[in-house]
Amino acid sequence: MNINTKTMSLVTAVILGASAWTSSVHAATFSQIQPYLTDYKIGFTDGNKLVTQAIYDEFQITSSGMIVTKGGKKGIIDPRTGKEITPTIWDNIDIPDSKNIAIVQKGGWFQYIDLKTHKLSTMKFAGAHPYYSSAEQGTAIMLLGKSSMLLNGDGKVLVPPFAGKLTMVQLVAPGQTENKEAEKKRYFVATTPKELIMYDSASGKKLFALAKAELIPNEGGPDTAYLKVR
């Protein structure tokens, strides 16, 4: 998905006019920390003082967290203070919609960090997939594994963790399957051995539940799905 971020490399920092900051006092205080360059490494200043050492190779600007890279690993620092939120230990970091949830990956496992509380999830997931739900709700984040869950970019839990499978389906209304211009709507389907539950993608509201049912997506075409009741 497209994220409103900007990757800053060593060369870009030079273009921005960053230089080796040696004075402890500067002319102005910035609302967001700014890069400086020393010995071909990037650090950050708040305009009055240096808030980090020049140890980073590149960075990504978001309003909720500054993603920094050091030695090929990624971390997050606070964009206002420069304080470390999570160290540079991750293979990849994504902050959907530049909001309050960061998806972090190490090897084949995913976790998430609440950027308001700086807390890392204790649960690990085999997959993490952001999906646009609506203009009002923004992006929903689907976390999958032995346990699955759904939350939005603000950190609100839409579907709490459960032992089962979570699937996103994109459907059109009955009778509109042949209409290529028919409006499509996304839903999330939670499946366990006991039941199937369908949720509205924007609100997370439970729409219905069926006992001993399973989802058969795209059985009647790309925008349809069937529910099989055992």
Side-chain angles (χ1 to χ4, degrees), residues 3-8 12 16 59-62:
I3 304 175
N4 186 24
T5 60
K6 186 176 182 181
T7 300
M8 307 299 295
T12 310
L16 283 176
F59 63 97
Q60 237 179 333
I61 298 174
T62 81

Side-chain angles (χ1 to χ4, degrees), residues 5-150:
T5 60
K6 186 176 182 181
T7 300
M8 307 299 295
S9 66
L10 184 66
V11 174
T12 310
V14 176
I15 294 173
L16 283 176
S19 60
W21 292 72
T22 57
S23 172
S24 61
V25 178
H26 303 286
T29 299
F30 305 127
S31 60
Q32 188 175 64
I33 57 175
Q34 299 296 317
Y36 70 90
L37 184 67
T38 297
D39 294 332
Y40 301 98
K41 293 292 183 178
I42 299 170
F44 294 92
T45 175
D46 65 4
N48 285 322
K49 63 183 180 300
L50 307 184
V51 295
T52 76
Q53 296 179 339
I55 57 174
Y56 302 112
D57 303 311
E58 62 181 34
F59 63 97
Q60 237 179 333
I61 298 174
T62 81
S63 58
S64 52
M66 188 85 73
I67 302 173
V68 290
T69 303
K70 182 175 72 172
K73 297 295 183 178
K74 296 181 182 295
I76 304 174
I77 60 176
D78 189 295
R80 290 163 293 279
T81 66
K83 291 183 178 180
E84 183 179 87
I85 294 175
T86 187
T88 49
I89 60 173
W90 304 100
D91 297 327
N92 192 46
I93 296 177
D94 188 9
I95 306 178
D97 292 343
S98 296
K99 288 193 174 180
N100 297 321
I101 294 297
I103 303 170
V104 293
Q105 179 186 2
K106 185 187 293 185
W109 295 102
F110 297 81
Q111 292 169 267
Y112 66 90
I113 297 173
D114 187 321
L115 297 176
K116 285 185 176 179
T117 63
H118 298 181
K119 289 184 178 180
L120 174 68
S121 66
T122 56
M123 297 180 66
K124 295 182 178 181
F125 302 89
H129 306 283
Y131 289 100
Y132 177 79
S133 58
S134 69
E136 181 179 348
Q137 297 294 330
T139 296
I141 303 166
M142 192 164 64
L143 298 157
L144 308 174
K146 289 184 178 180
S147 291
S148 301
M149 66 179 295
L150 183 73

Side-chain angles (χ1 to χ4, degrees), residues 172-180 182-183:
V172 298
Q176 295 293 313
T177 56
E178 300 300 323
N179 181 4
K180 294 183 179 180
E183 182 181 359

